[in-house]
Amino acid sequence: MFVVYSPEGQSLASTVQQIPVLRVDPSTRVNQIENSWLDELKPDEKSLLAKPSKEVNAYQQNKKESQHRVVVKVAEIMSEPIITINQEALLAQAYDRMSRLQIDYLPVLDDKRLIGLLSREQVLRKVIVAENGDLELGGERLVGAVMQQQIITTELDTDIRQVAQVFTQFDVGALVIMNSMEQPVGIVTRGDLVKRLAKEPPLEIYV
């Protein structure tokens, strides 16, 4: 389940069941093929299995492995412990924290309650950075005045394919992960997803 946090309250953002059916163009009509002609193309299964070839062995192995039902949860790839910032903090403090910890997103809290999300991109739009990396102007602004107030969150047991779908559909770069107490416990970014897909052994995401 995905939940949108906003100043107006919480609302459901998306579930797999709510994803609309893809619309495709009507298929081109194909003339019916006579069964007798198809019968001529049917392979002799007994003769194939009597002398298993490399192809048959590969097919049987693939069929056996395809019965696995592996689902990767977002809890396995999220970054934790979560690093946050208060809405009353200055942009200079947020920029310093992002730079030191090499992160691009900071969930914004108000007395442990999630109220926003601040990205490095949002900070850089409001400040001027010197050649040495220090802030020259704009660092005195408050985080609460710049942060994104509408945040999409999800739960620890969400399938990472759903997370990838939300990244694409809503054009967001990060999701805050919430526990059963509605407290932020982690964050997952596009980069986290790509890093996990690139690791060895290969990530199995089939069901």
Side-chain angles (χ1 to χ4, degrees), residues 77-96:
I77 68 168
M78 71 179 188
S79 299
E80 58 175 336
I82 192 168
I83 301 168
T84 64
I85 197 164
N86 188 276
Q87 65 171 339
E88 299 298 327
L90 303 179
L91 285 188
Q93 294 173 301
Y95 178 79
D96 177 69

PDB file of all heavy atoms in Angstrom, residues 77-96:
ATOM      1  N   ILE A  77      16.083  -3.416   0.693  1.00  0.00           N
ATOM      2  CA  ILE A  77      16.955  -2.514  -0.069  1.00  0.00           C
ATOM      3  C   ILE A  77      16.945  -1.079   0.444  1.00  0.00           C
ATOM      4  O   ILE A  77      17.735  -0.260  -0.011  1.00  0.00           O
ATOM      5  CB  ILE A  77      16.565  -2.510  -1.563  1.00  0.00           C
ATOM      6  CG1 ILE A  77      15.197  -1.848  -1.781  1.00  0.00           C
ATOM      7  CG2 ILE A  77      16.581  -3.903  -2.154  1.00  0.00           C
ATOM      8  CD1 ILE A  77      14.885  -1.551  -3.227  1.00  0.00           C
ATOM      9  N   MET A  78      16.091  -0.769   1.405  1.00  0.00           N
ATOM     10  CA  MET A  78      16.008   0.615   1.887  1.00  0.00           C
ATOM     11  C   MET A  78      17.244   0.986   2.696  1.00  0.00           C
ATOM     12  O   MET A  78      17.948   0.139   3.228  1.00  0.00           O
ATOM     13  CB  MET A  78      14.762   0.798   2.747  1.00  0.00           C
ATOM     14  CG  MET A  78      14.834   0.119   4.101  1.00  0.00           C
ATOM     15  SD  MET A  78      13.326   0.401   5.068  1.00  0.00           S
ATOM     16  CE  MET A  78      13.828  -0.305   6.651  1.00  0.00           C
ATOM     17  N   SER A  79      17.495   2.284   2.781  1.00  0.00           N
ATOM     18  CA  SER A  79      18.590   2.805   3.596  1.00  0.00           C
ATOM     19  C   SER A  79      18.078   3.055   5.007  1.00  0.00           C
ATOM     20  O   SER A  79      17.041   3.696   5.196  1.00  0.00           O
ATOM     21  CB  SER A  79      19.121   4.115   3.004  1.00  0.00           C
ATOM     22  OG  SER A  79      19.630   3.910   1.709  1.00  0.00           O
ATOM     23  N   GLU A  80      18.805   2.526   5.979  1.00  0.00           N
ATOM     24  CA  GLU A  80      18.450   2.712   7.384  1.00  0.00           C
ATOM     25  C   GLU A  80      19.727   2.732   8.232  1.00  0.00           C
ATOM     26  O   GLU A  80      20.755   2.211   7.794  1.00  0.00           O
ATOM     27  CB  GLU A  80      17.517   1.591   7.845  1.00  0.00           C
ATOM     28  CG  GLU A  80      18.103   0.206   7.679  1.00  0.00           C
ATOM     29  CD  GLU A  80      17.212  -0.879   8.245  1.00  0.00           C
ATOM     30  OE1 GLU A  80      16.390  -0.590   9.145  1.00  0.00           O
ATOM     31  OE2 GLU A  80      17.344  -2.020   7.800  1.00  0.00           O
ATOM     32  N   PRO A  81      19.707   3.344   9.401  1.00  0.00           N
ATOM     33  CA  PRO A  81      18.597   4.096   9.992  1.00  0.00           C
ATOM     34  C   PRO A  81      18.322   5.370   9.199  1.00  0.00           C
ATOM     35  O   PRO A  81      19.213   5.914   8.537  1.00  0.00           O
ATOM     36  CB  PRO A  81      19.097   4.410  11.401  1.00  0.00           C
ATOM     37  CG  PRO A  81      20.584   4.429  11.259  1.00  0.00           C
ATOM     38  CD  PRO A  81      20.905   3.376  10.255  1.00  0.00           C
ATOM     39  N   ILE A  82      17.107   5.829   9.279  1.00  0.00           N
ATOM     40  CA  ILE A  82      16.713   6.988   8.494  1.00  0.00           C
ATOM     41  C   ILE A  82      17.325   8.268   9.080  1.00  0.00           C
ATOM     42  O   ILE A  82      17.412   8.429  10.298  1.00  0.00           O
ATOM     43  CB  ILE A  82      15.172   7.094   8.438  1.00  0.00           C
ATOM     44  CG1 ILE A  82      14.745   8.115   7.386  1.00  0.00           C
ATOM     45  CG2 ILE A  82      14.593   7.410   9.804  1.00  0.00           C
ATOM     46  CD1 ILE A  82      13.265   8.076   7.072  1.00  0.00           C
ATOM     47  N   ILE A  83      17.766   9.134   8.198  1.00  0.00           N
ATOM     48  CA  ILE A  83      18.356  10.420   8.594  1.00  0.00           C
ATOM     49  C   ILE A  83      17.345  11.509   8.271  1.00  0.00           C
ATOM     50  O   ILE A  83      16.925  11.640   7.123  1.00  0.00           O
ATOM     51  CB  ILE A  83      19.679  10.668   7.859  1.00  0.00           C
ATOM     52  CG1 ILE A  83      20.657   9.538   8.181  1.00  0.00           C
ATOM     53  CG2 ILE A  83      20.272  12.014   8.237  1.00  0.00           C
ATOM     54  CD1 ILE A  83      21.885   9.530   7.301  1.00  0.00           C
ATOM     55  N   THR A  84      16.952  12.274   9.273  1.00  0.00           N
ATOM     56  CA  THR A  84      15.889  13.265   9.103  1.00  0.00           C
ATOM     57  C   THR A  84      16.381  14.655   9.493  1.00  0.00           C
ATOM     58  O   THR A  84      17.524  14.839   9.917  1.00  0.00           O
ATOM     59  CB  THR A  84      14.675  12.894   9.980  1.00  0.00           C
ATOM     60  OG1 THR A  84      15.068  12.947  11.357  1.00  0.00           O
ATOM     61  CG2 THR A  84      14.182  11.492   9.654  1.00  0.00           C
ATOM     62  N   ILE A  85      15.478  15.617   9.365  1.00  0.00           N
ATOM     63  CA  ILE A  85      15.778  16.987   9.781  1.00  0.00           C
ATOM     64  C   ILE A  85      14.480  17.644  10.238  1.00  0.00           C
ATOM     65  O   ILE A  85      13.375  17.240   9.823  1.00  0.00           O
ATOM     66  CB  ILE A  85      16.428  17.791   8.634  1.00  0.00           C
ATOM     67  CG1 ILE A  85      17.100  19.053   9.181  1.00  0.00           C
ATOM     68  CG2 ILE A  85      15.411  18.119   7.544  1.00  0.00           C
ATOM     69  CD1 ILE A  85      18.075  19.688   8.207  1.00  0.00           C
ATOM     70  N   ASN A  86      14.599  18.645  11.090  1.00  0.00           N
ATOM     71  CA  ASN A  86      13.435  19.345  11.612  1.00  0.00           C
ATOM     72  C   ASN A  86      13.042  20.476  10.674  1.00  0.00           C
ATOM     73  O   ASN A  86      13.901  21.074  10.013  1.00  0.00           O
ATOM     74  CB  ASN A  86      13.733  19.891  13.011  1.00  0.00           C
ATOM     75  CG  ASN A  86      12.495  20.457  13.693  1.00  0.00           C
ATOM     76  OD1 ASN A  86      12.122  21.612  13.478  1.00  0.00           O
ATOM     77  ND2 ASN A  86      11.849  19.638  14.504  1.00  0.00           N
ATOM     78  N   GLN A  87      11.771  20.795  10.631  1.00  0.00           N
ATOM     79  CA  GLN A  87      11.293  21.857   9.738  1.00  0.00           C
ATOM     80  C   GLN A  87      11.836  23.225  10.112  1.00  0.00           C
ATOM     81  O   GLN A  87      11.874  24.140   9.282  1.00  0.00           O
ATOM     82  CB  GLN A  87       9.766  21.883   9.726  1.00  0.00           C
ATOM     83  CG  GLN A  87       9.134  22.264  11.047  1.00  0.00           C
ATOM     84  CD  GLN A  87       7.646  22.480  10.935  1.00  0.00           C
ATOM     85  OE1 GLN A  87       7.117  22.733   9.845  1.00  0.00           O
ATOM     86  NE2 GLN A  87       6.929  22.380  12.050  1.00  0.00           N
ATOM     87  N   GLU A  88      12.264  23.386  11.368  1.00  0.00           N
ATOM     88  CA  GLU A  88      12.796  24.671  11.822  1.00  0.00           C
ATOM     89  C   GLU A  88      14.293  24.822  11.541  1.00  0.00           C
ATOM     90  O   GLU A  88      14.874  25.878  11.814  1.00  0.00           O
ATOM     91  CB  GLU A  88      12.547  24.844  13.328  1.00  0.00           C
ATOM     92  CG  GLU A  88      11.076  24.836  13.729  1.00  0.00           C
ATOM     93  CD  GLU A  88      10.313  25.995  13.101  1.00  0.00           C
ATOM     94  OE1 GLU A  88      10.927  27.070  12.914  1.00  0.00           O
ATOM     95  OE2 GLU A  88       9.112  25.834  12.807  1.00  0.00           O
ATOM     96  N   ALA A  89      14.904  23.781  10.991  1.00  0.00           N
ATOM     97  CA  ALA A  89      16.334  23.852  10.679  1.00  0.00           C
ATOM     98  C   ALA A  89      16.560  24.778   9.483  1.00  0.00           C
ATOM     99  O   ALA A  89      15.638  25.050   8.689  1.00  0.00           O
ATOM    100  CB  ALA A  89      16.874  22.464  10.378  1.00  0.00           C
ATOM    101  N   LEU A  90      17.779  25.262   9.340  1.00  0.00           N
ATOM    102  CA  LEU A  90      18.137  26.129   8.214  1.00  0.00           C
ATOM    103  C   LEU A  90      18.568  25.294   7.022  1.00  0.00           C
ATOM    104  O   LEU A  90      19.044  24.162   7.172  1.00  0.00           O
ATOM    105  CB  LEU A  90      19.276  27.068   8.620  1.00  0.00           C
ATOM    106  CG  LEU A  90      19.037  27.973   9.836  1.00  0.00           C
ATOM    107  CD1 LEU A  90      20.284  28.812  10.101  1.00  0.00           C
ATOM    108  CD2 LEU A  90      17.827  28.859   9.627  1.00  0.00           C
ATOM    109  N   LEU A  91      18.404  25.872   5.834  1.00  0.00           N
ATOM    110  CA  LEU A  91      18.858  25.177   4.632  1.00  0.00           C
ATOM    111  C   LEU A  91      20.361  24.910   4.684  1.00  0.00           C
ATOM    112  O   LEU A  91      20.841  23.912   4.151  1.00  0.00           O
ATOM    113  CB  LEU A  91      18.524  26.001   3.380  1.00  0.00           C
ATOM    114  CG  LEU A  91      17.061  26.027   2.931  1.00  0.00           C
ATOM    115  CD1 LEU A  91      16.949  26.715   1.575  1.00  0.00           C
ATOM    116  CD2 LEU A  91      16.480  24.625   2.854  1.00  0.00           C
ATOM    117  N   ALA A  92      21.098  25.811   5.334  1.00  0.00           N
ATOM    118  CA  ALA A  92      22.546  25.610   5.469  1.00  0.00           C
ATOM    119  C   ALA A  92      22.831  24.336   6.260  1.00  0.00           C
ATOM    120  O   ALA A  92      23.756  23.581   5.931  1.00  0.00           O
ATOM    121  CB  ALA A  92      23.173  26.813   6.178  1.00  0.00           C
ATOM    122  N   GLN A  93      22.013  24.058   7.281  1.00  0.00           N
ATOM    123  CA  GLN A  93      22.189  22.836   8.068  1.00  0.00           C
ATOM    124  C   GLN A  93      21.816  21.601   7.247  1.00  0.00           C
ATOM    125  O   GLN A  93      22.492  20.573   7.319  1.00  0.00           O
ATOM    126  CB  GLN A  93      21.325  22.913   9.328  1.00  0.00           C
ATOM    127  CG  GLN A  93      21.749  24.004  10.303  1.00  0.00           C
ATOM    128  CD  GLN A  93      20.769  24.156  11.448  1.00  0.00           C
ATOM    129  OE1 GLN A  93      19.589  24.424  11.241  1.00  0.00           O
ATOM    130  NE2 GLN A  93      21.263  23.994  12.671  1.00  0.00           N
ATOM    131  N   ALA A  94      20.754  21.724   6.477  1.00  0.00           N
ATOM    132  CA  ALA A  94      20.333  20.607   5.636  1.00  0.00           C
ATOM    133  C   ALA A  94      21.382  20.308   4.568  1.00  0.00           C
ATOM    134  O   ALA A  94      21.720  19.144   4.317  1.00  0.00           O
ATOM    135  CB  ALA A  94      18.993  20.930   4.973  1.00  0.00           C
ATOM    136  N   TYR A  95      21.919  21.372   3.964  1.00  0.00           N
ATOM    137  CA  TYR A  95      22.942  21.195   2.932  1.00  0.00           C
ATOM    138  C   TYR A  95      24.198  20.551   3.514  1.00  0.00           C
ATOM    139  O   TYR A  95      24.788  19.647   2.907  1.00  0.00           O
ATOM    140  CB  TYR A  95      23.280  22.547   2.311  1.00  0.00           C
ATOM    141  CG  TYR A  95      24.371  22.485   1.270  1.00  0.00           C
ATOM    142  CD1 TYR A  95      24.110  22.055  -0.025  1.00  0.00           C
ATOM    143  CD2 TYR A  95      25.682  22.868   1.594  1.00  0.00           C
ATOM    144  CE1 TYR A  95      25.116  21.995  -0.971  1.00  0.00           C
ATOM    145  CE2 TYR A  95      26.689  22.805   0.656  1.00  0.00           C
ATOM    146  CZ  TYR A  95      26.403  22.365  -0.630  1.00  0.00           C
ATOM    147  OH  TYR A  95      27.416  22.310  -1.564  1.00  0.00           O
ATOM    148  N   ASP A  96      24.586  20.983   4.707  1.00  0.00           N
ATOM    149  CA  ASP A  96      25.765  20.422   5.362  1.00  0.00           C
ATOM    150  C   ASP A  96      25.557  18.944   5.680  1.00  0.00           C
ATOM    151  O   ASP A  96      26.459  18.118   5.475  1.00  0.00           O
ATOM    152  CB  ASP A  96      26.056  21.199   6.645  1.00  0.00           C
ATOM    153  CG  ASP A  96      27.235  20.615   7.401  1.00  0.00           C
ATOM    154  OD1 ASP A  96      28.377  20.726   6.900  1.00  0.00           O
ATOM    155  OD2 ASP A  96      27.024  20.038   8.486  1.00  0.00           O
TER     156      ASP A  96
END
